[in-house]
Structures are given as structure tokens and as C-alpha cells.
Amino acid sequence: MSIRPLLHRRAAIRSSLRHQLESRSFIEVDTPVVASELLPEIYIDPMTLTHQNKTKYLQTSPEPQMKRLLAEDSGPIFQFAQCFRSDERGPLHDTEFTMLEWYEPGANLSSTAEVIESLLHDSLHTKGLERLSCRDAFIQHANVDPITASLSTLLQASASHSARLPSSLSTLPEEQQWSLVFEVLLSDVVSPQLGISQPTMLEAWPASESAFAQLDPLNKQISLRFEVFVTGVELMNGWQEEICSATIRQRLQKTNSARRSLEKPVLPLPDRLLSVHDNMPQGVGVALGFDRLVMLAIESDSIDTARYFNSDNV
């Protein structure tokens, strides 16, 4: 069977996304694939290489380098980036994949929702965008309020829904246990119910799961983070950016503490980024799984059908 129709579909979707963003005054950029810095995350492990006796990383995301551009007054930017993550393989994951990432200074979650709705309409022919809070989604589908729930309450909810918890859970600090149970409930119980009739933007996350998002100034229990789901598939994540370097440094140090608890290597902090982080403008950043988007467009359930090359055939 000819590969050309698939290549054409990928190119057409990429062209549509590019046109949409460029029509909003975004500039397409390129950042290094190999760098000495990255943003540590608890469950994402980078691929490493050695160059001139120095450790370098294949980038798990273009985020740290793009944020350095933002701090230099780049304005709205986007990138189709090749990203690398160790030991990730499955229908929705691979060790190398394509990500569309964009940053828009001055944007908020409402203006970003309009951009997302338009991008998905053009690429998937969807209509509308449901905006749903984590609290409402978890109450509706998991019978628990994640904003106020204790660890024991989350564990009861996971048991009642037969959620698959790792056997090592009890060995972790309580705060880390809470986050892990929250993630399992989200992935196993809540997210399969999202984005069914129209895409869902799941927002207002618990503050403990803020990642690099600002906390809601009106309610410090909530972070201005979101994920977008289409037919139960997580397609995007993003947030209203926290621009205080001291806050980001503290969160990254906490991330490394969590990695240590999981017996994962502690990763270096991105000092070049942190040194200019306070210069970043207020705005929103979004990461979109491009291979997943093509997969949804061709009505498949594996990213391997949405591209020719994968980690098993190269």
C-alpha cells in the first residue's frame, strides 16, 4: 500500500496548523534537539549522550529553549519539534515523536481556548470546545472532589472504580502518593469519558499538580493548568505560565526529590533558563501531540498508523 496518502494527510494537517498560528502573528522557530539543560519531570526520563566528557540530553520537549526565546522578547512563537523520552512505547507513546508547541504572550485561558477550538475544527472537523473543571469532571466520573480530597478519600475512590495502583505506592511520601493516585484516577477513570461529543478542555487543576502553571489568584487551591481530550485521548496540555524563577526553581527541586523517592536519577536544574525566567512575559504555553492528532484525524487508535517510522523499524 502506498505511503503517499498518509504523508499527504500529515503534511496537510501540519500546513493547516501552521497557517492558523501564522495568521495570529506567531513566528515558527527551531531550537536545539541536543542540549545541556532540560526541565526535570517526575515520570519523564530523558535520553542522554556524552559529548567532550559532558552529559547532554535529547530534549523531552522544546519548552526550556522556547522559554529562553520568550525571555528575549520573541513574541508569539511555535515549533514542530522532535522530542525524545526514554522507555516510552505503546499505542500513544514512543521514544521519539513530534510535538507542536506554542507560546503566546498576553494570552489567557479563554483566548487560548478559542485558538484550540479553531485548530481542532480545521484538523479534526470538530465543533465547539467543552470547558470543564477538574472538580466537576472527577465528581461526575469518579465520585470524588480532587480539590479537597485527602489521600484516603482518593484511595477509596480508586478502589471503588478498580483503578490500577502500583504496588510500590505505599513506599512513597504521602504527598507523592496523592499525586500518583490522582493521575491514575485521571487516566483510568476520568479521561476515557472526556471529549466524546466534542473536545474537552479540562482545567482548574489541584494546586499540587500545577507543574509550571500559575496558581489561581482568587483560589490558591487551584492552578491555571489544562489538558485537552478528544474521544478520551489526551491531545494537549498547557497552562497560564508561572514566570517567577524562584517559584519554578522550588518546584523543580521538589520534582527531583520525588524522582529520588522513586529511585530515579536526579536531573540538573536548567540554570540558563532560570537566570532569565523572570523576564518571561505573562502568557500561555501549549504542547500538542502531533502524531496523536493525525491518529485521530485518520480515525485510528495507534500513533504507529499515523506515521511511517517508529522505534521498532529504525
Side-chain angles (χ1 to χ4, degrees):
M1 182 177 181
S2 171
I3 192 64
R4 189 169 180 82
L6 175 59
L7 297 178
H8 183 272
R9 191 66 179 273
R10 285 179 67 92
I13 293 173
R14 190 189 299 256
S15 178
S16 172
L17 295 169
R18 180 179 283 116
H19 172 74
Q20 283 261 16
L21 292 171
E22 288 181 339
S23 70
R24 292 175 164 83
S25 300
F26 284 78
I27 296 174
E28 186 169 8
V29 299
D30 298 295
T31 59
V33 171
V34 178
S36 59
E37 293 190 348
L38 75 168
L39 283 167
E41 297 188 56
I42 297 175
Y43 298 107
I44 295 178
D45 296 317
M47 294 182 179
T48 62
L49 55 86
T50 302
H51 178 65
Q52 297 179 344
N53 295 320
K54 294 182 179 179
T55 299
K56 301 276 188 174
Y57 301 94
L58 290 170
Q59 292 298 284
T60 59
S61 158
E63 182 174 1
Q65 317 304 340
M66 293 183 77
K67 285 183 172 178
R68 286 174 63 184
L69 294 178
L70 289 166
E72 295 287 347
D73 199 25
S74 66
I77 54 176
F78 74 96
Q79 178 175 188
F80 289 94
Q82 291 304 110
C83 300
F84 303 84
R85 298 179 181 182
S86 181
D87 299 323
E88 290 200 10
R89 188 69 175 111
L92 300 178
H93 301 86
D94 204 352
T95 53
E96 181 178 357
F97 60 96
T98 305
M99 180 184 292
L100 167 63
E101 195 150 323
W102 76 83
Y103 293 87
E104 184 176 12
N108 56 37
L109 296 190
S110 292
S111 64
T112 299
E114 294 175 4
V115 175
I116 290 171
E117 182 178 351
S118 183
L119 294 180
L120 293 181
H121 172 75
D122 280 9
S123 54
L124 298 180
H125 309 296
T126 56
K127 294 183 179 179
L129 178 69
E130 177 190 28
R131 298 184 65 180
L132 183 66
S133 71
C134 262
R135 167 174 274 152
D136 289 344
F138 271 70
I139 289 174
Q140 180 179 353
H141 300 297
N143 302 310
V144 65
D145 182 348
I147 306 302
T148 60
S150 64
L151 174 59
S152 62
T153 302
L154 282 188
L155 287 170
Q156 290 171 7
S158 66
S160 67
H161 290 88
S162 302
R164 302 165 296 174
L165 297 176
S167 58
S168 59
L169 179 69
S170 61
T171 66
L172 302 176
E174 183 170 322
E175 184 177 5
Q176 202 170 328
Q177 288 187 52
W178 193 100
S179 293
L180 185 53
V181 178
F182 170 86
E183 287 291 341
V184 170
L185 280 171
L186 174 62
S187 62
D188 289 5
V189 180
V190 177
S191 64
Q193 309 302 320
L194 303 180
I196 305 304
S197 60
Q198 63 179 179
T200 298
M201 183 172 174
L202 184 69
E203 48 191 313
W205 284 50
S208 62
E209 312 310 302
S210 58
F212 307 121
Q214 286 184 2
L215 299 185
D216 187 332
L218 301 179
N219 184 352
K220 297 300 184 181
Q221 291 183 301
I222 290 172
S223 65
L224 301 179
R225 176 181 174 180
F226 66 88
E227 290 187 357
V228 175
F229 295 85
V230 177
T231 60
V233 174
E234 180 205 338
L235 184 59
M236 308 180 205
N237 67 72
W239 37 71
Q240 186 89 30
E241 297 286 350
E242 172 56 65
I243 62 173
C244 174
S245 62
T247 299
I248 295 299
R249 182 180 291 275
Q250 183 180 42
R251 291 183 188 176
L252 291 175
Q253 290 169 338
K254 193 173 180 181
T255 292
N256 268 333
S257 295
R259 288 182 62 87
R260 191 178 292 110
S261 297
L262 292 166
E263 299 183 347
K264 289 175 172 283
V266 170
L267 297 170
L269 299 187
D271 289 326
R272 288 189 181 92
L273 171 60
L274 290 171
S275 69
V276 298
H277 205 285
D278 289 333
N279 297 331
M280 273 183 53
Q282 295 277 354
V284 176
V286 185
L288 180 155
F290 181 72
D291 300 311
R292 292 186 186 185
L293 180 66
V294 177
M295 177 195 80
L296 292 167
I298 63 175
E299 299 181 341
S300 178
D301 58 3
S302 170
I303 60 172
D304 286 351
T305 61
R307 58 201 181 139
Y308 180 76
F309 296 106
N310 59 63
S311 61
D312 295 329
N313 69 7
V314 294

